[in-house]
Amino acid sequence: MSTRFPEDSWKFRSVDGGGELAAHEVGTEGAPETGGRVTITEIARQAGVSVPTVSRVVNGRSDVSPRTRARVEELLRRHGYRKRPSTSPSGAALLDLVFNDLDSPWAVEIIRGVEEVAHAAGVGTVVSAIHGRSGDAREWMRNLRARASDGVILVTSVLEPMLHEELRILGVPLVVVDPAGSPALDAPTIGAANWSGGMAATEHLLSLGHRRIGLISGPPRLLCSRARFDGYRAALEGTGLTVDDSLVVPGDFHPESGFEGCNALLDLPEPPTAIFAASDQMALGAIEALRRRGLRVPEDMSLVGFDDLPEVRWSAPPLTTVRQPLADMGKLAVRTVLKLARDEQPDSPRVELGTELVVRASTAPPAR
């Protein structure tokens, strides 16, 4: 979406500490090379810096070197910059948080972590969903340019190489949370220990005496899905078992696929005695499938999920699951992208936060 301004003035858009957009007028005098019009991108180009750097100078942020600040301020003066009083004593910043979709409690937990750290730092947050469609991604990129974001947190989303390159040219720092695959850019990534989580879930069921353990897997294109499956396989092989392909059914992390996957496993000539669902939402769908068939959890079927979303503590019965530190992943993503915005390097370019098995009432030894 483009933004039109009056012909006699142009405005830099920045963000104050409360997240409200504040306008800073820039006169057209002294900008013959741009035909009487100047934009924040043009100032950044002339100064040889990124758009977020110009935004930090505009907002009086301290995290800009004196030499760079002097060069940008000189260009702002040359183009007739007149700054309006700011309501923020410490400058301002804005982050973009981008998901494929926002229809999951999983996304809410990420947002909760991001907002906690961003709010404490006086940083505004714009949340977007691009739904995996190139048109939505391009629209988001146009909006990103207009608001001069200081950084982007991309959650399991895949951007076209062209859009990745545009982020690089704009100098906008990027952090990828729970990467779908190898990032196209050399961007820091933050994930969870999915392999060890999948192994812990399966080992728990094995320790109870289960040997036919079904798996409702996630989308194979996602790294986290493949890692959880590999952990499942490693646990089975650790006890001398091999993966029975008939016990592995596909899912997409949503309840409907858990419902369908559980029914497919129950329709086998020899159904499993336990199921590992690779997400809590699929586990909830599986519980409903079992209920409709008159089967009880865990008396007739043990069930383990993955994520530890708040609602599974109140399912019937409370769900045994693998706790994924979703909010902590969001918190670390904000700290990392703000470091990059200050031209600092993160402690590590690849971070995996630990997972933990949480045993509740949905697992028990197999029925005789």
Side-chain angles (χ1 to χ4, degrees), residues 31-322:
E33 68 275 28
T34 58
R37 298 180 178 183
V38 64
T39 65
I40 192 169
T41 303
E42 177 63 17
I43 292 290
R45 187 192 67 78
Q46 292 181 29
V49 299
S50 67
V51 170
T53 296
V54 176
S55 178
R56 291 196 288 273
V57 172
V58 166
N59 288 288
R61 294 263 295 275
S62 61
D63 49 351
V64 181
S65 71
R67 179 178 297 181
T68 299
R69 180 182 301 279
R71 184 163 68 250
V72 172
E73 287 178 343
E74 169 58 28
L75 284 167
L76 293 172
R77 284 192 294 271
R78 186 187 307 170
H79 290 299
Y81 169 76
R82 297 185 302 278
K83 187 178 187 301
R84 293 180 180 177
S86 174
T87 59
S88 171
S90 59
L94 181 69
L95 299 179
D96 268 64
L97 176 59
V98 186
F99 294 86
N100 276 336
D101 295 291
L102 288 170
D103 58 352
S104 166
W106 180 91
V108 173
E109 290 298 296
I110 296 279
I111 294 170
R112 186 168 62 84
V114 166
E115 176 59 23
E116 181 178 326
V117 175
H119 178 75
V123 177
T125 307
V126 176
V127 180
S128 305
I130 60 176
H131 306 290
R133 295 191 290 261
S134 60
D136 289 349
R138 290 191 179 95
E139 177 71 11
W140 164 74
M141 181 63 78
R142 284 193 289 270
N143 292 334
L144 177 84
R145 287 195 300 268
R147 56 181 168 257
S149 182
D150 283 290
V152 173
I153 298 171
L154 194 63
V155 185
T156 69
S157 301
V158 180
L159 289 183
E160 299 173 14
M162 178 186 68
L163 298 180
H164 272 302
E165 177 64 13
E166 187 159 356
L167 282 176
R168 188 191 65 78
I169 292 171
L170 289 173
V172 179
L174 171 67
V175 173
V176 181
V177 176
D178 201 16
S182 299
L185 287 179
D186 185 20
T189 63
I190 297 166
N194 291 288
W195 182 88
S196 61
M199 187 171 185
T202 311
E203 284 183 334
H204 171 65
L205 294 171
L206 289 166
S207 71
L208 293 171
H210 296 279
R211 291 298 178 266
R212 287 186 62 77
I213 301 172
L215 172 66
I216 306 175
S217 66
R221 65 183 178 82
L222 298 181
L223 283 177
C224 62
S225 299
R226 300 199 296 271
R228 292 171 200 179
F229 170 78
D230 288 342
Y232 164 82
R233 177 172 56 192
L236 293 175
E237 292 176 349
T239 58
L241 300 173
T242 57
V243 174
D244 182 342
D245 291 339
S246 69
L247 293 178
V248 179
V249 296
D252 60 9
F253 291 155
H254 294 291
E256 294 81 4
S257 67
F259 180 87
E260 294 167 1
C262 183
N263 278 323
L265 291 171
L266 293 174
D267 287 338
L268 292 173
E270 187 181 352
T273 61
I275 295 174
F276 168 34
S279 80
D280 283 351
Q281 287 204 295
M282 291 196 301
L284 294 176
I287 288 176
E288 178 60 16
L290 291 162
R291 186 192 68 80
R292 292 191 188 185
R293 295 205 184 199
L295 298 174
R296 300 165 298 164
V297 178
E299 291 85 355
D300 301 309
M301 180 75 70
S302 284
L303 186 64
V304 178
F306 200 110
D307 288 329
D308 196 26
L309 298 175
E311 58 264 37
V312 302
R313 302 168 199 175
W314 306 103
S315 62
L319 184 68
T320 295
T321 187
V322 176

